[in-house]
Amino acid sequence: MLTAEAPLPAPVRAEILALAAREPHPRGAGVAALRLVQARFGWVSTAHLREVAGLLGMSADDLDGIATYFNLLFRRPVGRHVIMLCDSVSCWIMGRGPLCAHLCRTLGIKPGETTADNAITLLPTVCIGHCDHAPAMLVDDTLHGDVDTATLDRLIDTLRDTP
Amino acid sequence: MTPPTERPLTAMIDPAAGPPDCAAYERAGGWQATRNALGRLAPAGIIDMVTRSKLRGRGGAGFGTGQKWSFVPKEPAADRRKYLIANADEMEPGTFKDRLLLEGNPLQLIEGMILAAYGVQAGHGVIFLRGEYHLACARLHHAIGEAREKGWLGENILGSGFSFDIRVHSSAGRYICGEETALLTALEGRRATPRSKPPFPQTGGLWGAPSVVNNVETLCNLPHIITNGPEWFAGLGLGEDGGTKIYGVSGRVVKPGAWELPIGTPLRQIIEDHAGGMRPGYRLRALLPGGASTAFLDATAIDVAMDYGSVEKAGSRLGTGMAIILDDRTCPIGMIRNLEHFFAQESCGWCTPCRDGLPWVERLLDAIENGSGQEEDMDQLGRHARMLGAPGRTFCAHAPGAMAPLASGLKLFAADFAAHIQQGRCPQQPGA
């Protein structure tokens, strides 16, 4: 089982060192390295952050400045699935507000929270470039457009059943 | 020679079929520009062709592409480390044109980057891709791999002596990364705060090396300019500017979407012919012509030609050319509040007027929209629009961009602001 506290697996460490080696300065690999850790563990724990900082020759605080700057890097655990509902202008015009309220009611959480069964985290996102199909959202890596309450309800059922 | 087509950028894009591979790309006229250019044309000749084509940056600022390149030191790529960077950090609200190009024909971007890099003699290419564009990321990696395998990227391309390769940087959010100096800072593994200029990126960019940052759509035009000639490209535009432009419309129109049209196409034609006009029951009230950081134009401006000069003359900016429609049943104050929430949240926090001013603006708009606004709030909003809107008072263009819809909105929707404050509620919110 993957835990956020264990030392990073050797292949992940090797990959981070390889990313760092192709940069004029290892810190250039900061975001890529953190994304790598997140892809494996779902988020970036403080233990992992410290380890990555060591590999890149940075202080942990310096790297945490990067990690906390970028909104797609998670410094807290998230659910098995992440729903990012666009809150920018075209989606707002096309009714993302009521959709967000519906999602919050159905999931019993507010934006920024994770359901008790750890299935779904709900986050707002800025424009995801799908404005001709607003309201739009990202569910993990998949883009969804023309979202309505019926599609949301179906999606939530599916996500709860998917590991 | 490819017969000139009216829609060079999107001719090969077929969402149902997926992007062309190297062979299909070549059959449709791709790689011809690279064959014509590498080792046959002098790098200075490429820059000259692009200047004569009248291509201007498609990311929003509209700087002449050839002119931008002309500031790069001229040493051959082999003698000096230089970078050519594709800005694929498309994050301007209401904008979805680069995603179309990235997903639909990644090889076109790669070829555009090869040509740009040859022109400025850069050996290193980076695609700065926003982290949310997962499909584009997969397709770019695949296309780069194939191009490398077929010899279009790597050492000594086509035996020309020119070497160039591309890597993809998958970013992790934050609108400000699209600002070119913030983008460079992000690539160096730092918080993405913009840099003071000079030095300009062309002389002191990524890791201190000369660097050119061009928007995806800008770069995708290059193969067509080199293959068909700058005069052909300049002639595609209806007015002063050269080429085609990917225009888009979102909001309550019949068919929201994006279309490649001659640059300078009248806005009316884009909204009525291509987007199908307003949905039944809705009237056009106003619009942002080119993304969130452009000033509102009211419905009477609908005949403006969508080129850089004409939109500026009308009081706004062409920006990304992707229009956002405000209909008569959507509250303009609510819309501006949404926009300012975005800008306040996306401020990098580096300089005080932007970091503290934008959240203040958002709170004032919140109060007005929620019915607790006061008369004096209007003065405060006007003061912010003046103080933050003028260029040079903040470190970068983020705050002036944020003030464009506010300043224009304060004028255009003065009666709506007054009604909110007098009635103590949003008149357009049911049940308020």
Side-chain angles (χ1 to χ4, degrees):
Chain A
M1 166 149 176
L2 296 173
T3 87
E5 295 307 317
L8 287 170
V12 175
R13 288 176 62 94
E15 209 171 327
I16 290 172
L17 288 172
L19 286 170
R22 66 176 197 185
E23 297 285 340
H25 186 287
R27 68 176 305 131
V31 167
L34 294 170
R35 284 188 62 127
L36 196 68
V37 171
Q38 184 165 303
R40 183 80 182 246
F41 295 90
W43 66 298
V44 179
S45 70
T46 298
H48 285 162
L49 180 102
R50 287 192 179 127
E51 204 175 336
V52 174
L55 293 172
L56 299 180
M58 297 167 71
S59 76
D61 285 346
D62 193 0
L63 188 63
D64 208 11
I66 313 292
T68 54
Y69 184 86
F70 290 98
N71 58 291
L72 296 182
L73 294 173
F74 304 144
R75 283 286 279 116
R76 280 192 289 165
V78 292
R80 295 197 309 276
H81 303 285
V82 178
I83 298 180
M84 300 183 90
L85 186 66
C86 176
D87 69 358
S88 287
V89 63
S90 303
C91 286
W92 177 81
I93 290 171
M94 299 306 285
R96 69 84 62 194
L99 279 183
C100 187
H102 177 82
L103 258 181
C104 290
R105 263 195 316 275
T106 312
L107 297 173
I109 54 173
K110 295 198 289 283
E113 295 178 350
T114 301
T115 54
D117 61 358
N118 206 38
I120 297 167
T121 298
L122 176 62
L123 296 172
T125 181
V126 300
C127 184
I128 43 178
H130 205 31
C131 323
D132 49 344
H133 292 281
M137 65 181 176
L138 269 173
V139 179
D140 301 325
D141 290 356
T142 309
L143 191 56
H144 297 254
D146 302 312
V147 178
D148 58 22
T149 49
T151 54
L152 278 181
D153 291 343
R154 276 197 304 276
L155 179 88
I156 291 167
D157 288 343
T158 315
L159 291 181
R160 287 213 150 116
D161 295 339
T162 344
Chain B
M1 176 107 181
T2 328
T5 152
E6 291 301 314
R7 293 184 177 162
L9 286 173
T10 52
M12 273 189 244
I13 295 181
D14 176 0
D21 61 10
C22 271
Y25 181 71
E26 183 151 26
R27 278 197 302 276
W31 300 127
Q32 189 153 1
T34 304
R35 288 191 199 281
N36 291 347
L38 264 56
R40 296 190 181 181
L41 291 172
I46 302 276
I47 299 179
D48 179 58
M49 284 174 87
V50 173
T51 306
R52 284 191 288 134
S53 76
K54 301 191 191 171
L55 173 65
R56 292 173 64 171
R58 302 294 197 236
F63 199 77
T65 304
Q67 196 190 356
K68 189 176 204 175
W69 294 356
S70 69
F71 301 116
V72 178
K74 304 285 184 247
E75 291 99 322
D79 294 353
R80 185 163 180 184
R81 192 176 181 87
K82 290 186 253 182
Y83 291 93
L84 185 277
I85 299 155
N87 187 344
D89 199 49
E90 177 169 72
M91 221 181 288
E92 180 77 18
T95 301
F96 47 101
K97 64 180 183 70
D98 295 339
R99 189 167 66 77
L100 187 86
L101 294 167
L102 293 162
E103 292 177 0
N105 193 357
L107 289 171
Q108 178 176 247
L109 173 65
I110 292 169
E111 185 172 20
M113 290 180 72
I114 294 169
L115 295 165
Y118 181 72
V120 300
Q121 287 293 297
H124 303 271
V126 181
I127 299 173
F128 191 101
L129 180 69
R130 67 175 297 192
E132 294 89 340
Y133 279 5
H134 300 283
L135 182 60
C137 185
R139 289 185 173 177
L140 282 170
H141 278 289
H142 180 82
I144 290 168
E146 199 197 356
R148 209 176 273 147
E149 195 181 299
K150 299 275 195 296
W152 297 107
L153 291 172
E155 297 294 317
N156 192 18
I157 301 167
L158 295 177
S160 64
F162 177 67
S163 302
F164 176 70
D165 209 339
I166 298 174
R167 69 180 180 85
V168 177
H169 174 86
S170 284
S171 186
R174 301 310 297 272
Y175 172 70
I176 200 65
C177 292
E179 199 276 346
E180 66 176 11
T181 62
L183 182 153
L184 299 173
T185 312
L187 281 176
E188 293 177 3
R190 297 182 187 276
R191 294 167 71 91
T193 50
R195 299 176 178 180
S196 167
K197 293 184 275 196
F200 288 88
Q202 293 97 317
T203 51
L206 183 57
W207 305 111
S211 306
V212 165
V213 184
N214 282 142
N215 167 261
V216 167
E217 186 183 352
T218 310
L219 290 164
C220 287
N221 277 301
L222 300 174
H224 309 290
I225 293 172
I226 303 303
T227 301
N228 300 311
E231 288 73 24
W232 166 83
F233 186 84
L236 289 178
L238 300 182
E240 283 296 296
D241 302 315
T244 59
K245 175 82 193 74
I246 299 184
Y247 292 110
V249 179
S250 62
R252 294 199 190 277
V253 290
V254 174
K255 288 179 296 180
W259 311 273
E260 183 185 5
L261 300 167
I263 193 161
T265 298
L267 186 55
R268 182 188 292 280
Q269 199 176 320
I270 299 169
I271 294 175
E272 293 181 358
D273 298 352
H274 297 280
M278 297 301 291
R279 289 192 184 183
Y282 293 92
R283 275 191 314 112
L284 170 67
R285 173 130 195 233
L287 56 94
L288 303 171
S293 60
T294 60
F296 279 100
L297 294 174
D298 71 7
T300 62
I302 193 170
D303 288 306
V304 69
M306 287 286 275
D307 58 42
Y308 297 97
S310 306
V311 183
E312 204 166 310
K313 214 176 285 170
S316 188
R317 283 191 311 119
L318 178 63
T320 61
M322 307 294 282
I324 306 162
I325 305 291
L326 170 67
D327 59 80
D328 61 330
R329 287 161 67 182
T330 296
C331 175
I333 306 345
M335 179 170 172
I336 299 172
R337 177 184 61 170
N338 176 280
L339 293 165
E340 299 309 331
H341 166 74
F342 168 82
F343 287 113
Q345 172 183 293
E346 296 302 315
S347 170
C348 81
W350 179 253
C351 72
T352 312
C354 180
R355 182 191 60 224
D356 290 352
L358 296 182
W360 194 351
V361 166
E362 187 193 351
R363 284 196 302 274
L364 291 167
L365 291 166
D366 255 339
I368 294 169
E369 178 67 359
N370 293 332
S372 57
Q374 308 291 318
E375 285 293 338
E376 54 265 34
D377 293 346
M378 295 303 295
D379 298 333
Q380 200 59 261
L381 284 177
R383 192 170 302 131
H384 276 83
R386 279 195 307 281
M387 300 297 280
L388 289 174
R393 298 218 168 113
T394 52
F395 210 72
C396 77
H398 182 82
M403 290 302 100
L406 177 67
S408 53
L410 286 171
K411 285 196 204 100
L412 217 50
F413 310 121
D416 300 79
F417 276 103
H420 277 72
I421 292 171
Q422 281 153 19
Q423 296 176 27
R425 68 188 185 95
C426 173
Q428 265 165 308
Q429 220 168 58

